[in-house]
Amino acid sequence: AVAPYSGHQKYALPPRYFEQLLSKPFENQIVELLRTHNYVAGEVTSKGTWITQHGSIQSPLGTDRPPGQIDVLAWAPNGSALIADCKVLQLPWDGNSLVNLWKKLQEDDEEGFGRKIQANAEWCVAFLNLIGKPVEDLTRALILDSPLHFWRQSGEVVLMDYEGLSERLRTIG
């Protein structure tokens, strides 16, 4: 997932290369971290196919597609599940871009990061239950490639970075 900001940057990668060189590798890094902690994890395509380390799992016939592509869906045998949108931040270069970044990460964000996760969360719980992976606890997360200092958490979507996720996984088992 790409997180560009409005305004002009002197050295910006075209979106296709940003996705290929930065965003997708970061998403893969998050998926691998979850897999090392015994989660079945992977991307869910916009057509509803979950691409896991055990192969692709199609949506059961007769089910709707998810509202959109899902960067990371992870499920553990204890019923713990995670749906996440991964963002590689382009660091703000002036005051306006900093304000824009801050707005995008809020619960009422302009780009719908939080709303996208919430909409996909309902689909994920139904999907996992239909394929025999019951969900006891679902974490909705926006995972950033860089820490944001002085961040105050609000709303149902947890904002964390790679290290925060890694620490959380270490403490829960």
Side-chain angles (χ1 to χ4, degrees):
V2 180
Y5 312 113
S6 61
H8 175 71
Q9 269 189 296
K10 189 173 182 179
Y11 304 106
L13 285 172
R16 182 174 135 222
Y17 294 111
F18 189 87
E19 179 78 20
Q20 182 181 347
L21 299 173
L22 299 173
S23 294
K24 200 64 174 166
F26 179 61
E27 292 168 16
N28 292 339
Q29 186 181 21
I30 297 299
V31 166
E32 288 305 316
L33 174 65
L34 289 156
R35 289 175 178 176
T36 63
H37 285 85
N38 300 317
Y39 280 79
V40 177
E43 170 189 0
V44 178
T45 68
S46 59
K47 292 184 178 180
T49 300
W50 188 24
I51 303 167
T52 76
Q53 66 267 42
H54 306 298
S56 296
I57 301 171
Q58 303 286 329
S59 291
L61 288 175
T63 59
D64 291 333
R65 291 180 175 186
Q69 181 265 348
I70 300 164
D71 291 346
V72 178
L73 175 61
W75 178 86
N78 67 0
S80 175
L82 169 87
I83 176 177
D85 202 7
C86 300
K87 297 292 177 198
V88 173
L89 297 179
Q90 294 179 12
L91 296 177
W93 59 92
D94 63 16
N96 287 338
S97 63
L98 178 62
V99 168
N100 193 28
L101 167 63
W102 200 259
K103 285 180 182 177
K104 286 183 180 188
L105 299 175
Q106 298 297 319
E107 194 69 20
D108 57 348
D109 61 318
E110 296 170 359
E111 295 238 339
F113 295 157
R115 284 188 294 278
K116 176 185 167 193
I117 293 168
Q118 292 288 42
N120 279 327
E122 293 176 26
W123 182 89
C124 287
V125 170
F127 170 78
L128 289 169
N129 284 318
L130 282 170
I131 63 169
K133 298 187 180 316
V135 176
E136 298 295 324
D137 178 49
L138 178 68
T139 299
R140 298 159 184 85
L142 182 59
I143 303 174
L144 308 176
D145 70 317
S146 305
L148 278 184
H149 302 288
F150 306 113
W151 180 259
R152 189 176 67 81
Q153 188 64 52
S154 67
E156 291 186 30
V157 177
V158 178
L159 183 69
M160 66 179 83
D161 61 3
Y162 179 90
E163 289 303 319
L165 176 61
S166 183
E167 180 63 30
R168 185 177 181 145
L169 291 170
R170 277 194 297 275
T171 60
I172 62 172

